Amino acid sequence: MIGRTLKFQVNNDVLSNAVSFAVRLLNPRNRDGEQTSGVRIDADGKTVKLSVVEDDTSGSIEIVANVEVPGSVLIPGRLLLEIVTKLPNSSVTLDAEKNQVNLSCAGSKFTLQTMDIAKSLVAPPLEGTTGVVDGHELGEAIHKVANAAAKDVPMYAGVLFNTSGEKISLLATDRYRVAIDEMKWKSGKAITDLDALVPARMLGEIAKTFSNQGEVTITTKADAYRISFASDSKVVTFALLKTSLPALRELFPENIDHFAIINKQELIESIRRAALVVVGDQALVMNFNGENLNIEGASQNAQVSETIGIELTGDDLKVKLRPNFLLDGISGVTTEFIKIGFTKSPNPNKPGPVLISNHGSKDAVDSYRYLLQPNLL
């Protein structure tokens, strides 16, 4: 029965993890308005469900607890999170009655005013087409691709989830770079017609929430522009973007015969040191020359030069690349050595994009690719 009173006990590490998950889904713009940022708690049987519904996003998580009195309550989410994260790792009792809730743990006791439960919503499960992926692979693919989505251009602020045969691909761009990665659906559990532009701002939370799950169920409903990600105890549902990306796959060349092979960690360390002297959107000069890569940077107050060994196939080449974009691309490489390929441009005054990929097995090379447009020299 839905009521204003409930009581349950649970270990605080379990409760604080659940509250943290729910509060992360709340809109940070409502940080100063707790009455619009509530976490609903429903207790029944041996299960306590924490859920939030705000703007176009909803989520829920279920935990096992000792429920003495079943019921429901709505509590200011961020205040609850601040409390439970500072309590000791011990049994906590949450006891709600009338318009307040008492929360006690060891020697600590808090009394909070509750919110109007009548104004809270319980989001129904999204009913649509479903597919299943590995949670770790999903988190890895998001990590590799989501950084390439635009932060301030709504049209390019999403990651395209698309089915190709037995694989699901993730693709993003901000017009200066394009990143793509692929993973496989679980056997017999694919969404064959998936074509969804997922807001990149939500995918960090999806990766954090589900990357340690064995299986994650993806559900989409095209006519409702909605998508959900779910595991055994957690569900996150939000709106898709109602825009579309231009055709970008054709930008990736099938073969490249002009490329450099470089130790990934050495390259990362050199770029990070060189980036110390550049300002804002300034680029580094990358001079691929014989068996060496020379990286140069300069600002009004400093200059830098870094040299590392490479294996170059093709002619010497000089390009200018933004260090932050370059590091984003390298972060998706999973092999010890990185391959930087040089594409041709129809415009002799404009360099072609560089293609960053793994250097290893054919499968690894085909899975992750990152295309970056150099700055003009």
Side-chain angles (χ1 to χ4, degrees), residues 259-285:
F259 58 87
I261 306 299
I262 313 170
N263 182 280
K264 174 186 172 182
Q265 194 56 39
E266 289 182 7
L267 180 59
I268 289 174
E269 293 172 359
S270 290
I271 293 171
R272 285 175 176 169
R273 288 191 294 266
L276 294 174
V277 306
V278 298
V279 179
D281 293 335
Q282 284 185 325
L284 297 172
V285 177

Side-chain angles (χ1 to χ4, degrees), residues 94-112:
L94 194 147
D95 186 0
E97 185 175 2
K98 295 184 179 180
N99 62 345
Q100 68 181 34
V101 58
N102 298 311
L103 191 151
S104 58
C105 178
S108 300
K109 183 176 180 180
F110 291 84
T111 299
L112 287 71

Side-chain angles (χ1 to χ4, degrees), residues 5 23 40 43 56 110 113 127 132 144 170 172 219 270 275 315 324:
T5 303
V23 170
R40 178 180 175 124
D56 290 326
F110 291 84
Q113 296 298 307
E127 296 182 356
V132 180
K144 295 175 184 179
L170 280 68
T219 304
S270 290
D315 297 332
N324 55 332

Side-chain angles (χ1 to χ4, degrees), residues 249-315:
R249 290 177 180 271
E250 61 191 34
L251 297 178
F252 291 92
E254 293 185 6
N255 297 294
I256 287 187
D257 54 13
H258 189 189
F259 58 87
I261 306 299
I262 313 170
N263 182 280
K264 174 186 172 182
Q265 194 56 39
E266 289 182 7
L267 180 59
I268 289 174
E269 293 172 359
S270 290
I271 293 171
R272 285 175 176 169
R273 288 191 294 266
L276 294 174
V277 306
V278 298
V279 179
D281 293 335
Q282 284 185 325
L284 297 172
V285 177
M286 316 280 288
N287 189 356
F288 297 84
N289 186 1
E291 298 180 352
N292 292 309
L293 165 62
N294 181 254
I295 304 173
E296 297 178 346
S299 63
Q300 185 175 358
N301 300 315
Q303 295 180 342
V304 64
S305 176
E306 289 273 342
T307 300
I308 55 177
I310 63 173
E311 294 181 14
L312 180 64
T313 299
D315 297 332

Side-chain angles (χ1 to χ4, degrees), residues 63-64 91 126 140 148 176 238 295 299 302 328 347:
I63 58 176
V64 176
S91 177
L126 181 65
E140 288 294 303
Y176 304 104
F238 50 91
I295 304 173
S299 63
D328 282 346
N347 184 348

